[in-house]
Amino acid sequence: MVAAHSVDLGEWTAAQVVRLNADSQTAAVLELDWSGPEPSSVADLGDVAPLKLTHHSWNGTLSFCNHEWVLPRSHKVIGATRLLHGGPANSWASGWHLGDQLARQRRWDRGVHEDPVVPWKVECTGEKVNELLSRPAAPRSEVMHLTIRDIDSLDCAQLVQRFPALTRLHLSGRLGLLSHADDLCQLISLQRISIVDLLGMTKEDCLKPLRVSELESVDLYGIPAGYASVMRKTWHPEIPAGTFVSIHRARKPEWVEENRNNPLRDWDGREQISATTYKRAVAQYRTTRRAVIEAFAEEPADTRPARMEEIGRFYGEAFNQLDQRSGFIETVEREELFEALDHIMNEAEALHGPSVENARGSLISGVESVRDW
């Protein structure tokens, strides 16, 4: 049995680790229908039962899923008892969040079907948080969980000053830039950090275990290679002490230079897309981009729609051929291919002024007339 304090409940809660899977490095965790003061042993739990979920679309199934098998350092083992469930867990969770489901179930049982707005949890865009940080204000020490998405740039020094009591921080962007990332070491209560598709961090910005001693999850994806290397070297030794470490897609400077303005960059390393297919796809994107921008610069306005349709056909046919080889274009990839065309048109219009009516539609029409994906 393991126990942890839940902010959602305002109390401690508990779960049973049913089994460990060495191959997948996961733990099958069964949450209990219990909360109370901090337990020192299994006996403090009393007569416990598994948590059954009936809130929202749940139909009485157990709160039972696979977690990464690193037990967070804020959790503790309180002993063993009889196995409460013997089957396998068929769902997976990212991170241990004991108490979340129990809090939702109890609200549902009281007739409250919406998650409450709580002052300690904030989600916003990079643009919104930069606007907030630009205005003088007192620190918001009540905020513990902060999620910021769509970051183009963010000053971490200002962020830490405004939100000094964070325990969870999730930052994601579009290859945006973080500055003063070393100031994140001042978040001494930080337990979980996630940084996705952001740049600007250096080796000197590494979070230090002696400064953020409660950190129990380091999740980095699409970050500078130097920063990734030193973070991996620093935090891997902390895994036995209860810090989960996941660091992927370290980006070298030359990759950043080539791909910062590449809308298909997320295809690099995607499961069903080989390195060769990715390179050919990017090459075709760049060929199409060059053709569109040249057409804006050189074609008379009245002939531009016809040229756009022709470019669209070449684009559609090129990806027909690529898809025939490996069948990699699924719903997400199809949407991304059309988003790439929008990106090209937006660039061309920024360089040469708004397009004539139907130019954008003609480009799409050309693709639609030939595409098999």
Side-chain angles (χ1 to χ4, degrees):
M1 289 286 187
V2 297
H5 185 267
S6 167
V7 178
D8 294 279
L9 294 167
E11 295 182 303
W12 282 71
T13 188
Q16 183 174 60
V17 178
V18 173
R19 62 168 48 86
L20 297 175
N21 187 321
D23 292 333
S24 61
Q25 297 189 350
T26 57
V29 180
L30 178 68
E31 291 197 68
L32 304 183
D33 190 357
W34 178 89
S35 69
E38 180 178 357
S40 58
S41 69
V42 172
D44 292 337
L45 304 181
D47 186 17
V48 294
L51 173 61
K52 292 184 178 180
L53 302 177
T54 59
H55 67 83
H56 297 89
S57 59
W58 295 96
N59 58 1
T61 57
L62 298 179
S63 183
F64 183 42
C65 66
N66 295 296
H67 300 259
E68 59 267 12
W69 71 349
V70 177
L71 184 69
R73 62 178 73 212
S74 62
H75 296 43
K76 69 176 190 175
V77 177
I78 57 173
T81 187
R82 64 182 179 84
L83 202 61
L84 299 176
H85 182 70
N90 297 317
S91 59
W92 283 259
S94 177
W96 292 61
H97 305 287
L98 298 188
D100 289 7
Q101 287 285 20
L102 180 55
R104 288 190 173 96
Q105 186 61 51
R106 288 180 175 176
R107 286 195 296 269
W108 187 270
D109 293 341
R110 295 195 305 268
V112 180
H113 294 175
E114 299 294 332
D115 289 340
V117 176
V118 291
W120 48 267
K121 183 183 295 185
V122 172
E123 296 186 16
C124 59
T125 64
E127 182 180 6
K128 183 67 176 178
V129 81
N130 281 331
E131 179 185 337
L132 178 70
L133 296 176
S134 68
R135 300 192 299 266
R140 295 187 57 183
S141 298
E142 79 281 5
V143 178
M144 293 185 289
H145 296 184
L146 178 62
T147 296
I148 308 175
R149 59 188 183 278
D150 298 333
I151 295 171
D152 289 321
S153 65
L154 180 66
D155 186 333
C156 294
Q158 291 183 336
L159 183 76
V160 169
Q161 290 174 4
R162 187 62 57 87
F163 302 102
L166 295 178
T167 61
R168 296 183 188 177
L169 177 62
H170 176 78
L171 305 174
S172 62
R174 299 164 294 207
L175 295 191
L177 296 175
L178 295 185
S179 60
H180 303 112
D182 59 322
D183 277 51
L184 295 176
C185 279
Q186 297 182 35
L187 297 173
I188 59 174
S189 299
L190 194 64
Q191 293 180 329
R192 304 179 63 86
I193 187 166
S194 172
I195 301 177
V196 178
D197 285 338
L198 289 168
L199 306 169
M201 303 84 81
T202 68
K203 293 179 180 180
E204 288 70 29
D205 294 323
C206 177
L207 294 170
K208 299 171 178 59
L210 290 178
R211 300 281 302 279
V212 282
S213 59
E214 297 183 32
L215 196 60
E216 58 189 30
S217 179
V218 176
D219 189 3
L220 308 178
Y221 182 96
I223 37 78
Y227 180 71
S229 177
V230 72
M231 285 289 286
R232 190 181 290 113
K233 182 178 180 180
T234 299
W235 286 97
H236 265 242
E238 297 294 320
I239 292 175
T243 301
F244 173 74
V245 179
S246 176
I247 301 176
H248 298 286
R249 297 280 185 93
R251 304 304 193 187
K252 295 182 178 180
E254 53 267 29
W255 185 95
V256 174
E257 185 67 25
E258 291 178 2
N259 290 282
R260 193 161 191 193
N261 199 35
N262 170 18
L264 301 181
R265 60 179 177 261
D266 287 344
W267 288 16
D268 186 14
R270 191 171 292 181
E271 185 177 358
Q272 81 273 24
I273 302 177
S274 69
T276 299
T277 298
Y278 171 70
K279 289 178 181 177
R280 289 173 175 167
V282 172
Q284 181 56 50
Y285 161 77
R286 288 174 177 158
T287 296
T288 304
R289 176 184 176 277
R290 185 165 54 251
V292 169
I293 290 176
E294 286 177 356
F296 267 69
E298 301 171 4
E299 289 283 337
D302 57 344
T303 64
R304 199 177 295 165
R307 177 63 178 139
M308 290 296 105
E309 187 164 355
E310 181 183 23
I311 294 171
R313 286 197 301 272
F314 283 132
Y315 183 86
E317 288 167 350
F319 282 99
N320 283 346
Q321 293 176 12
L322 272 180
D323 195 46
Q324 284 173 3
R325 293 183 178 132
S326 56
F328 73 96
I329 301 179
E330 300 175 2
T331 301
V332 171
E333 289 73 29
R334 180 169 61 250
E335 292 174 354
E336 288 169 336
L337 284 172
F338 282 109
E339 288 170 2
L341 291 178
D342 273 337
H343 183 80
I344 290 171
M345 290 297 292
N346 291 339
E347 259 195 296
E349 290 181 346
L351 288 170
H352 300 288
S355 63
V356 296
E357 190 176 355
N358 296 329
R360 189 182 295 257
S362 296
L363 182 66
I364 301 301
S365 177
V367 178
E368 293 285 12
S369 68
V370 297
R371 73 174 178 93
D372 297 328
W373 32 275

